[in-house]
Every structure is written in structure tokens, then in C-alpha cells.
Amino acid sequence: MKVVNLKQAILQAWKERWSDYQWAINMKKFFPKGATWDILNLAEALLEQAMIGPSPNPLILSYLKYAISSQFDDFSRDLCVQALLDIMDMFCDRLSCHGKAEECIGLCRALLSALHWLLRCTAASAERLREGLEAGTPAAGEKQLAMCLQRLEKTLSSTKNRALLHIAKLEEASSWTAIEHCLLKLGEILANLSSPQLRSQAEQCGTLIRSIPTMLSVHSERLHKTGFPTVHAVVLLEGTVNLTGETQPLVEQLVMVQRMQHIPTPLFVLEIWKACFVGLIESPEGTGELKWTAFTFLKIPQVLVKLKKYSHGDKDFTEDVSSAFEFLLKLTPLLDKADQRCNCDCTNFLLQECSKQGLLSEASTNNLMAKRKADREHAPQLKSDENANIQPNPGLILRAEPTVTNILKTMDADHSKSPEGLLGVLGHMLSGKSLDLLLAAAAATGKLKSFARKFINLNEFTTHRSEESTKAASVRALLFDISFLMLCHVAQTYGSEVILSESNTGGEVFFFETWMQTCMPEEGKILNPDHPCFRPDSTKVESLVALLNNSSEIKLVQMKWHEACLNISAAILEILNAWENGVLAFESIQKITDNIKGKVCSLAVCAVAWLVAHVRMLGLDEREKSLQMIRQLAGPLYSENTLQFYNERVVIMSSILEHMCADVLQQTATQIKFPSTGMDTMPYWNLLPPKRPIKEVLTDIFAKVLEKGWVDSRSIHIFDTLLHMGGVYWFCNNLIKELLKETRKEHTLRAVELLYSIFCLDMQQVTLVLLGHILPGLLTDSSKWQSLMDPPGTALAKLAVWCALSSYSSHKGQASSRQKKRQREDIEDYISLFPLDDMQPSKLMRLLSSNEEDANILSSPTDRSMSSNLSASQLHTVNMRDPLNRVLANLFLLISSILGSRTAGPHTQFAQWFMEGCVDCLEQGGRGSILQFMPFTTVSELVKVSAMSSPKVVLAITDLSLPLGRQVAAKAIAAL
């Protein structure tokens, strides 16, 4: 471009367009004689398209930029200022640019400079007005100030302009700082002016400017309902199967659900409380009830404390919690039923705990307590005479929590100094439901792993013998037995991960950990009875068999209990063979089993553990004697010559054995009557109906859940069992088929909320299957496109977005305990589907039909990058060996290809719905999220879609932290 005489350009342009020579004369007064301007200072595209026509003339903006860059500070020259303001009036609400990306960024910068100059001009005009008022001549300053404010308002009222300024702010942080200083100065000057109209107008402009940096964080209120089954189900799922899980993953998941569904905080907190009360009411008696009580009164208040950090302010959050309780108090039937179940005023306990955690003010707490108390006066009698003496679980749980801390301190002491004192503490823990209370409190407060670790250390301590008296040997045997039984009970109640997750850092392998990993039957774990762990030293086995068969009772002194536990399996095999071959009579078997369970119950547990593995390998006609031996070991020994706390230990042993044998007894259709232990039965055992295909069970339970509108605890256990049996692909694929069958919009929306919460059983693996296998299959097979029509297609797109967001936000963290047991999918499956070499077409992309357009010849490096499949994730060097990252990258590549294809259909609409879902959940402009995997080319395709052609959408879907992302956004917005 050559240097152009500015005066001639202005005269020519204005003559052709408006024929207003007076305006040009006014401009002439401003510019120095012979002023020239190097066109290259502005984006070349503005001049290339600077022909006068119906659209705004970018050349005019160039003149304005020249005036500003000439450092024109003499705002007292009214005609010059007015001329420049007139120029702004022509373009400020009609900017566009169809040039290169760099030129569009130039447009953003030019607009930012214009805004800065306009603010300075406004401040100077306000200052003149103030001085004029003092001198009695306000007219000139007031007129100019009004003109400046009018241009400011007109410029800033355009969302497109604010989006361009948002990009410019990220490009030039220092210029934005200067604008903020101008705003402060303007506010100080206007504060002294008497005109409320001018002040109000200026304040509105200031508010718009201040909103530019945060324009992506504004959500519109979309409250159309008061029930949120997703929140309800996520809380129920956590309370039912993951009490020991850390609070942070649950908090992040709840925050994600709140953000995705735009739930107001009071209703969000209300839904959490509703789920807790429903869980309390429907929980099975015994351990299940204690778990839910601990979850509601100990864990959820801690979750809310962490949720407070995600809110806009502590005061706002406490008000929201107070509002949630106000709503909760109106649900009288729910509260009455919970009070009846727990035999107490549950709301009162909950309010006290929330007040203690700083979630409620004292005034709010007292007010809410008074309201509930008054409400209970009018309720039916909630406390009958027959249960008046029963202590309510909420009170017991809240008292158990500090007791757990004290026990942990006691367990830290040197066991060798006072083993009798420690035994007294453990004996007290075994009485009644004390153990389950303490374990539930420890689990809900994150102390269970530490609790288990200390009992593993205690158990290991008892394996190291020294010279001992009969009393010391008795204490040692009891400490070994109680710690062993407690650890088995913890593993069966809360999962073996609690025991094994914190491995010993010293490299020493402890006895109990070894035994549990290799010998203890668990759901989904098949043991080999011929494994070397069941075949220890033959000499020691023979000694143990002789001891069990010949002695009237086992001697305690110098007894190596851990060795006996390891040898008992081989000893039982010898004894069983002898019995089956007629060498031993049934009376001898009774004496042997009495010896096994007579002193320490842990020997019986180890014996039954092997028998369970052994029975699995036998034919139906070979199992009788093995099962009979289990029956003999399961009952208590009626003898006076037992060790201390025998009855309490037998209760725990019977519960452990019942859990161990449940699978085998179900498979062999055998019944073994375990003694009435006082512990809870197994409420969620045998959930699946016999002789019925699991697919029918899945569709039936989903239909019932959909009809009811929420997922209960029993359904969660059934879904978990089906997921375990059928595998992730089978489970996910069949549920998606059920979703795509729905034709009523309200049913599909409800199904999405429920399916998301069901998928939380193993969200990571379900997401990989859904995004990596099921969606590509639907989108690339034209025979399946009809199934993607609205409403099921819209619902599936929303579900896919929710799963992708949840998995990506949490996949760097640890898998939850409920997910660790499930078989992991092999990463190689995803690498073969999506190969690492980006030059090699993946299986997925080979499925796509060729739809590449004739590419324009692009001279700009930026435009060349934008025309390729380059995405922000590649610029951020995201690890593409991660299966989820690969699946997301290839899904967005597929969607980009569909949007740019010449062939349109339901799959095209689905791709748009998916992108709309991403934007709907990402208005806050979160960076490093799933949209970083979207190719930059997708942006230009999306703005062609009417629903997506808005500046805010463009800002939301591009990574503005990258220079290339800002150029992509600027080009797309400038072309709108």
C-alpha cells in the first residue's frame, strides 16, 4: 500500500457517500496541513474492503485510528472532537471484517484504542462541564459530554463490540489497565455533577465496560422446575455404595451437575437434603442405617463446607443454606417419616451440625429449630412408648465421631507396654453395635483407612512372640483374633480397598494384607484352592492336623496364630480327605471343628475361606461333606473354657462367614443356618430374579425408574450388579437404546438426568464406551441416523456432553473405591481405534465419507493453521496417550467433519446439539476443558448455524488463552 493524502481521501469518500462538504471542512480544521498516513499501520483488510456502500466503511475507522494515534489530546477544539465523534457514530454498532485473522485482531485493537480515546474525551468533557458550572457557563461541556456518553452507550450496547473488546483486552493487558484508570477518573469527576441523567448514563457505560472481562460468566436464569433427580441420584449413589470415598470428588461432581443444569443454590442444597432423608428412610436396618446416618449428619455437612468455597461469598452461601432449610421444613411428610425412622428430631440434629460448621448463623439456626418444633407439635406422635428408651442413631453417630479420634490415639501407643488396657478398649468396641457405629463414623469422616492401618499394625504386633506367661499368651491370642475379625468385617462392609489402599511404605508385607489378597473370598474374586498360598510347609501342616485331631484344646503359649491361619487350609484338605475316605468319623470332625473355633475365631474364618474356594471346583454330588464342615464351623462353641469376649467375637465371625458363603450357597442352592447374630442381614443379596435374561432385567428396572422419576437405593444395587455382570459396553449400549426409543420430550429429558446418575457407577469407563464406540457408530452409519431425530437425539447429545464434562474434570484424580474393583478397559483398545501417529488415518476417520471442500489458497500462516485439524489441545501438548483425551479428540474431529460436510441429515443436527450442549455448560469460559479438543475449523462452521452465530458462543468455544484462539475468535466475530 502507498501513502495516501488524508484530506483528499476524506473529501472523496464523503463526497461519494454523503455529499456533506461542511463535514469535510470541519475535519480540515483538525488535521495539520499535508498530513499523511501510512496505511500499513492498520489492518490491510480494512482498506481492501473500504469501498463506500451500504455496509459500514472500515476506512472511516482507519481515519479515526489515525486521529487517535496522532495523540490528539486537545479536547477543547469542539469542532474537531465533534467530527471524530461523528465518525464513531457511523461505524460503532456496525463493525465487520472479512479479511485475514491478523486483520481481525487489528480491528479488535483499533476498537480498544477508540474506546480508550472516547473515555478520555468523556472525562475531559465532564471536567469542562464541572469547571463551566463553577464559572456559570455549562452549555458547551454538557453538550460534548452528552455526545460522548451517547457514543459510548452505542458502542458498548453491541454484544459483538464487547466480544471484540474482550479479545483485545487479552491481547493488550496494559491498554485495558489504562481504560480502568480512565473509568476511575471519570467516576470521581461525575460524582460531583448534579445531573442525575448524565451520571446514570455514565454508570451504565461503566458497568458495561467492567462486564467485558467477565462476560462469559453470566448465566441466564432458566428455572422451570423444582426437582432435580440427577442431584438426588448422585447423593443416593454416594451414600449407598461409597461412604468411604473422599469428599472432594463428590463436591466436584455436584458442582458440575449444578453448573450443567443451572440449578439455583438454595434448590441445589435442598435436593441434597431431600436425598439424604430419603436414603435414611429407605436404608436397611443395621449397618445400612448407620452408614446413611453417618453420611447425612457427618459427611454431607463437610461436603457443604467445601461447596461454600465454590460460591460467590460466605454470606451468600449461608443465606442459601438457610433458604434450603426453609424449603425443607415445608416437606413435613418427609421429615416426619425420617423422624419416625430415626426416633428423633432429625432436622434439629442437622441444624446443630450445620451451625457448628459455620453453614448457618445462630439466629437462623434458632429460628429454623423453633419452626420445626412447632410443626412437630401438630404431627402424630413420633415417639411411641415402645421405643422411648432406644437411643437415636444420629445422636450416637455424632458422639461416636470424637470417640474414633480417641481410639486412634490409643492405638498409636506402644502395644507391648499395656496390652491388657488395649484389650479392654477393643472389648468395649465389640459390644452391641459399637463397632459398626465407630466404623460408620470413621468412614464418613475419612478416618477409616487410618483406622484399618492401625489394626493391621496391631495384628502384625501379635505375630512377634517373646517369652510369655499363660495370661500374656491369652491376651496376645485375643488381640490377634479381634484385630483379624475387625479387619475382615471392615473389608466386607466397606471394601478391601480400604485395607489395601495405603500399602506399607517400609516395604514389609504384613500377614493380614497377604492373607486377604490371596485367600479371602470377595464378590467378583475367584480363588484357586490349589494356589501355592493354600499349600504351605507340609511339616507344619502335619503338626497342625495332629494338634487339631489329638488335643482336647489348643495350647496358647508360644502359638504362632498367623502360621496356623496360613496352614489351616492345607490341614482342612487333609482332614476332609480322611473323612471322605472313611479314616475319620463325624464325631472326630466335630472335635476338630470345635478345636478350630474354640479359642480364636479367625482360624474358622480362614478354614471356611478355603472351603468356599474348594466347593466352587466340585461337582454337585461331591459337595456334601465340604458344606457340612462349613456348617460345623459356622456355629458357636457351647463351652465354658473359651477366651474372653467369645460371644462378641462369634457374632462378628458368623457375619463374616455368611458373607463369604453367600455366592457359593446361591450357586449350589444350599441353605446353611447361620446363628442369629444380632448383626444385620444382607439386604441387597439375590437381587436379580433367577432364570431371567439380564437384558430383560435391565430394561425392566430402567422403565420402573423412569416412570417413578428417581433412582432408589435398591435400584442402584441392581444397576451395579448388572454393570458388573454384563460389562460396560453391554450396559451402556442397552441403556442408550432405551433412551433412543423414547418419543416424548419430557420422558427423554428425565431419562437423561437418570441415566447420567446411573452412569456415575463407573463414569470414566462408560464415557469411553459412549464417546469412543457408541456415538461414532451412530454418526457414521446412515441406517441409524433416524434414531438421532429430536427428541431422543437432543437428549443423547446432552447426555454425551454431561458425561464428557464430568469424566474430563475428574479423570486426573483417583478412581473411586466402587470403580477400582471393575475390570479396566485396555488402553490398547483405544490406541488401535485412535492411533498415535496423526498422519495415519484412524479407524474412526476411515469410516467417514470424503467431504473436503476445495480449499482456498491462504497466504496467512494463521489461516493455514485454522484450515487444518489443529486444536488447542495440541498447542497445549495434552497427553494423547490418555484414552479419554484420544476419544474426545476424535469425537470432535468427527463432529467437525459432519458440520463441514455437503451431506446434511439428523446426524448433522446431532452434531449441532452436541456443540450447543458444550456451550450451554461452558458459558463460564472454563479453560482446559473438553472444547480444547475441537479443531479450530469447527468455529467457522458453527457460526453458519443460526443458533450458534453469536459473539458469546464464539468466545465460549475458543481457547482465548492462546494467540491463535484469539485470532480464530476475532475472525469469526468480525464476520458476523
Side-chain angles (χ1 to χ4, degrees), residues 351-563:
L351 289 168
Q352 286 180 37
E353 198 60 24
C354 287
S355 177
K356 192 194 303 180
Q357 298 294 342
L359 296 166
L360 284 170
S361 66
E362 189 177 347
S364 292
T365 306
N366 293 334
N367 177 42
L368 292 163
M369 282 180 175
K371 285 184 179 179
R372 179 59 186 154
K373 185 178 179 182
D375 203 24
R376 277 169 60 90
E377 295 296 326
H378 303 292
Q381 186 62 30
L382 294 173
K383 198 170 186 179
S384 61
D385 294 336
E386 62 188 36
N387 61 11
N389 296 323
I390 300 173
Q391 287 187 298
N393 283 334
L396 292 172
I397 281 287
L398 291 171
R399 288 203 298 275
E401 195 265 332
T403 308
V404 169
T405 307
N406 292 334
I407 289 172
L408 290 175
K409 289 178 183 175
T410 303
M411 297 289 290
D412 281 332
D414 186 347
H415 304 317
S416 61
K417 290 183 177 176
S418 179
E420 293 88 354
L422 181 60
L423 181 61
V425 172
L426 299 187
H428 183 69
M429 286 173 62
L430 296 178
S431 61
K433 58 182 181 182
S434 296
L435 178 60
D436 282 326
L437 269 169
L438 292 167
L439 293 179
T445 53
K447 296 172 184 168
L448 189 58
K449 289 180 181 178
S450 175
F451 201 85
R453 176 54 46 191
K454 293 185 190 304
F455 276 95
I456 287 173
N457 291 335
L458 172 63
N459 184 264
E460 192 67 18
F461 162 76
T462 61
T463 64
H464 302 295
R465 296 168 302 110
S466 57
E467 292 298 322
E468 59 184 357
S469 63
T470 305
K471 184 180 179 183
S474 171
V475 170
R476 185 172 61 83
L478 283 168
L479 288 176
F480 175 87
D481 200 38
I482 291 172
S483 59
F484 186 96
L485 293 172
M486 280 186 175
L487 287 166
C488 287
H489 183 59
V490 168
Q492 287 183 337
T493 310
Y494 294 98
S496 56
E497 297 79 15
V498 176
I499 308 290
L500 299 174
S501 57
E502 292 184 8
S503 58
N504 189 271
T505 53
E508 185 182 357
V509 180
F510 288 163
F511 154 72
F512 184 82
E513 289 176 297
T514 305
W515 179 84
M516 195 183 78
Q517 284 179 295
T518 54
C519 306
M520 183 174 173
E522 286 183 276
E523 182 188 356
K525 185 164 100 178
I526 304 299
L527 297 173
N528 176 10
D530 297 323
H531 189 277
C533 71
F534 293 120
R535 296 285 175 273
D537 186 339
S538 57
T539 308
K540 292 179 180 178
V541 172
E542 288 174 10
S543 301
L544 181 60
V545 171
L547 185 68
L548 293 171
N549 191 29
N550 300 325
S551 303
S552 56
E553 62 179 54
I554 295 176
K555 299 289 185 277
L556 302 179
V557 178
Q558 299 296 311
M559 182 68 182
K560 300 178 180 179
W561 295 110
H562 65 295
E563 287 188 2

Side-chain angles (χ1 to χ4, degrees), residues 545-554 561 568 588-600 603-604 633 637:
V545 171
L547 185 68
L548 293 171
N549 191 29
N550 300 325
S551 303
S552 56
E553 62 179 54
I554 295 176
W561 295 110
I568 192 71
S588 300
I589 298 299
Q590 281 182 312
K591 185 180 78 169
I592 290 169
T593 53
D594 285 350
N595 272 336
I596 290 172
K597 65 189 178 184
K599 295 296 182 185
V600 294
L603 268 183
L633 290 166
L637 177 66

Side-chain angles (χ1 to χ4, degrees), residues 87 109 191 202 239 300 354 383 415 529 591 659 776 837 924:
I87 296 176
R109 289 178 174 145
I300 288 297
C354 287
K383 198 170 186 179
H415 304 317
K591 185 180 78 169
H659 279 78
D837 180 6
Q924 294 179 342

Side-chain angles (χ1 to χ4, degrees), residues 524 724 727-728 762 765 819-826:
H724 188 76
V728 180
D762 198 347
Q765 293 296 303
Q819 294 172 2
K820 285 177 183 172
K821 284 189 278 190
R822 208 163 334 276
Q823 186 65 41
R824 299 293 91 196
E825 302 240 2
D826 192 345

Side-chain angles (χ1 to χ4, degrees), residues 106-274:
L107 178 65
C108 297
R109 289 178 174 145
L111 186 58
L112 187 65
S113 299
L115 176 65
H116 186 202
W117 178 84
L118 192 50
L119 279 172
R120 287 166 53 221
C121 187
T122 307
S125 303
E127 185 68 42
R128 280 181 66 194
L129 175 57
R130 188 174 68 177
E131 291 170 356
L133 287 170
E134 292 171 359
T137 56
E142 188 169 358
K143 182 183 176 184
Q144 188 166 300
L145 178 59
M147 287 175 66
C148 289
L149 289 173
Q150 184 186 352
R151 270 58 172 191
L152 264 177
E153 200 168 32
K154 192 173 179 181
T155 304
L156 294 166
S157 61
S158 162
T159 307
K160 178 177 177 178
N161 284 357
R162 294 202 304 276
L164 293 173
L165 288 167
H166 183 87
I167 295 168
K169 170 197 170 289
L170 297 171
E171 284 285 313
E172 298 184 353
S174 58
S175 297
W176 189 258
T177 306
I179 282 175
E180 288 175 330
H181 288 155
C182 280
L183 269 180
L184 288 172
K185 183 180 177 183
L186 182 59
E188 291 168 3
I189 297 169
L190 290 171
N192 298 317
L193 295 183
S194 57
S195 171
Q197 183 182 351
L198 290 173
R199 272 209 314 273
S200 172
Q201 202 175 359
E203 284 168 8
Q204 286 174 7
C205 292
T207 302
L208 283 171
I209 292 172
R210 291 187 187 94
S211 73
I212 289 170
T214 57
M215 65 184 298
L216 293 181
S217 63
V218 180
H219 277 293
S220 55
E221 284 294 327
R222 279 171 273 187
L223 181 59
H224 304 296
K225 57 180 183 175
T226 55
F228 302 94
T230 307
V231 178
H232 190 100
V234 166
V235 174
L236 265 179
L237 175 68
E238 195 76 11
T240 303
V241 296
N242 199 32
L243 178 62
T244 57
E246 294 178 12
T247 55
Q248 190 58 32
L250 174 60
V251 169
E252 289 173 2
Q253 190 173 31
L254 287 170
V255 168
M256 179 65 72
V257 171
Q258 184 187 15
R259 195 177 82 187
M260 291 189 302
Q261 299 189 19
H262 311 291
I263 307 173
T265 303
L267 295 179
F268 175 61
V269 176
L270 171 66
E271 200 65 44
I272 293 173
W273 290 136
K274 281 164 62 179

Side-chain angles (χ1 to χ4, degrees), residues 788-862:
L788 297 176
M789 298 282 281
D790 192 34
T794 319
L796 178 57
K798 178 179 282 193
L799 177 63
V801 170
W802 287 4
C803 291
L805 287 171
S806 296
S807 292
Y808 190 74
S809 67
S810 63
H811 86 294
K812 295 181 180 67
Q814 295 295 315
S816 71
S817 59
R818 66 173 179 268
Q819 294 172 2
K820 285 177 183 172
K821 284 189 278 190
R822 208 163 334 276
Q823 186 65 41
R824 299 293 91 196
E825 302 240 2
D826 192 345
I827 188 171
E828 293 302 321
D829 294 345
Y830 291 94
I831 289 180
S832 64
L833 186 65
F834 313 122
L836 286 169
D837 180 6
D838 291 327
M839 298 302 292
Q840 175 193 352
S842 67
K843 289 181 188 175
L844 173 61
M845 294 314 294
R846 286 199 298 270
L847 294 171
L848 303 176
S849 57
S850 176
N851 53 26
E852 293 181 6
E853 307 287 347
D854 293 331
N856 296 322
I857 298 172
L858 299 162
S859 58
S860 163
T862 300

Side-chain angles (χ1 to χ4, degrees), residues 226 266-267 270 273-274 277 321-337 339 345 347 351 367-376 379:
T226 55
L267 295 179
L270 171 66
W273 290 136
K274 281 164 62 179
F277 278 99
V321 172
S322 181
S323 299
F325 272 112
E326 292 281 3
F327 291 137
L328 184 66
L329 290 182
K330 294 174 183 176
L331 305 176
T332 308
L334 178 71
L335 300 185
D336 288 351
K337 189 119 183 183
D339 288 359
D345 183 350
T347 314
L351 289 168
N367 177 42
L368 292 163
M369 282 180 175
K371 285 184 179 179
R372 179 59 186 154
K373 185 178 179 182
D375 203 24
R376 277 169 60 90

Side-chain angles (χ1 to χ4, degrees), residues 26-81:
N26 290 341
M27 288 297 293
K28 184 178 177 183
K29 293 176 183 176
F30 162 62
F31 292 111
K33 187 176 180 181
T36 57
W37 170 55
D38 184 352
I39 301 300
L40 290 174
N41 286 340
L42 259 187
E44 293 175 4
L46 294 175
L47 280 179
E48 288 172 1
Q49 301 175 48
M51 292 184 287
I52 305 300
S55 62
N57 186 353
L59 183 58
I60 303 298
L61 178 60
S62 306
Y63 300 154
L64 183 65
K65 167 114 184 197
Y66 170 74
I68 293 164
S69 61
S70 298
Q71 296 169 352
F72 168 57
D73 292 322
D74 191 356
F75 296 111
S76 63
R77 300 173 68 177
D78 293 346
L79 289 176
C80 299
V81 170

